[in-house]
Amino acid sequence: MPETPLGAFLRARRARLAPADAGLPASGRRRTPGLRREEVAARAGISADYYARLEQGRQRVPTGPVLDGLAEALQLTAAERGYLHRLAARPHRPAPPPAEAPALPPTTLALLDTLDAAPAFVTGPTFDLLAWNRPAALLLAEPERRPAPERNLLWQVFCCPYRDRSQGNTAAEGSIGADLVASLRAQHADRPRDRALLALVHRLSADSPVFAELWDRHRAAPPRPGRLHVRHPALAATVLDYTVLPLPEDGRHLFAFLAPPDSPTRHAFAAAGGDLLRTATAPG
């Protein structure tokens, strides 16, 4: 029987939870990492057979209390709990046909243009770059000159030519890469079979084993502020703090980065400030 998104998520989160984390005593050597199925089932208040059927895709949609019990047993965050409920409620929902994305409002474009000394850009639900200002063009190595698949923040973090010199961006915890992957899952929980999403994940997984490993962790969380480690031939090595602002349009976010005061990188961004750049990408 083919693996279901719900089963894959349960299996991944079970493997990430050590017995000690769940208050369970060590019981000898384990063949696989994480909790056993029967341990999760006992903590969730369901039978081991029922839980096994959920992981294997042989069980129909579980009830809300069962899902809440599983969330407690697996120590899920609030975002992951919501992700679990969305996966379970729509196990076989076909992906909706792609719709033309609305144009960015003039106010959003004006905001980007106003941030003329700080890199800022807008992304769609799959983190395609929809618009950016001149400092962001410098930071992202002129994305308007790249083919459409490379005009994507995930590609920039995991697959750009400088990624091997910026491991801090792809650490398993607390990095921009880990947060972006978790956000991609959270935003598409109700569209696990979206062809465009699957194609993106396949392409990034093929080009970046680190992305593939993070994707298989099945974390789900909204975008959040963080830090970007910069190793770029046109900029001094530095760390940029960034913030993320959700936009009214579904799945769109504005990222804004700030270099340290009086740093060479801050001066480089200020010198690059100018007219807003935009690019047409796939609907996102």
Side-chain angles (χ1 to χ4, degrees):
M1 181 171 290
E3 183 177 66
T4 65
L6 175 61
F9 177 73
L10 292 174
R11 188 176 301 108
R13 301 315 298 171
R14 175 169 63 86
R16 295 289 301 168
L17 194 60
D21 297 332
L24 298 173
S27 55
R29 187 174 181 180
R30 294 176 178 243
R31 292 180 297 176
T32 57
L35 298 184
R36 298 186 176 102
R37 285 175 175 169
E38 56 268 25
E39 292 170 337
V40 174
R43 288 172 57 81
I46 58 177
S47 72
D49 179 67
Y50 183 89
Y51 178 79
R53 293 200 304 270
L54 286 175
E55 275 201 5
Q56 296 165 358
R58 297 185 291 113
Q59 178 64 42
R60 299 187 65 181
V61 178
T63 65
V66 167
L67 293 174
D68 288 336
L70 290 171
E72 293 294 331
L74 295 171
Q75 299 183 10
L76 301 184
T77 65
E80 290 167 342
R81 182 188 294 262
Y83 180 75
L84 172 67
H85 276 262
R86 290 165 66 192
L87 283 179
R90 303 174 177 86
H92 302 295
R93 179 184 178 183
E100 183 178 354
L104 289 172
T107 51
T108 299
L109 300 179
L111 176 59
L112 285 180
D113 206 18
T114 300
L115 300 171
D116 57 0
F121 50 80
V122 174
T123 63
T126 56
F127 296 106
D128 286 323
L129 299 169
L130 303 181
W132 55 89
N133 60 10
R134 278 301 313 170
L138 177 62
L139 176 65
L140 302 174
E142 306 297 339
E144 78 280 2
R145 300 177 184 175
R146 299 184 180 276
E150 296 181 6
R151 295 197 295 269
N152 180 284
L153 185 56
L154 287 159
W155 184 91
Q156 290 278 345
V157 170
F158 290 98
C159 304
C160 78
Y162 314 115
R163 69 187 186 279
D164 57 344
R165 287 178 272 168
S166 304
Q167 291 91 343
N169 292 331
T170 56
E173 300 290 341
S175 70
I176 184 174
D179 287 349
L180 289 176
V181 173
S183 299
L184 189 67
R185 275 207 178 274
Q187 293 185 92
H188 293 271
D190 53 355
R191 294 194 292 162
R193 293 176 176 81
D194 185 303
R195 292 184 179 180
L197 174 65
L198 293 176
L200 174 66
V201 170
H202 177 76
R203 183 171 69 250
L204 292 172
S205 297
D207 291 343
S208 171
V210 177
F211 172 88
E213 180 181 348
L214 290 174
W215 183 254
D216 287 342
R217 286 173 172 262
H218 286 262
R219 283 188 59 236
R224 60 182 179 179
R227 288 186 166 183
L228 176 71
H229 296 260
V230 177
R231 301 275 183 184
H232 191 291
L235 298 169
T238 188
V239 177
L240 304 180
D241 291 318
Y242 68 88
T243 190
V244 187
L245 304 176
L247 297 177
E249 300 80 21
D250 186 36
R252 291 182 176 180
H253 293 85
L254 186 147
F255 287 74
F257 296 75
L258 187 64
D262 296 324
S263 65
T265 302
R266 172 76 72 92
H267 294 310
F269 288 147
D275 294 337
L276 174 74
L277 293 178
R278 282 191 289 172
T279 181
T281 64

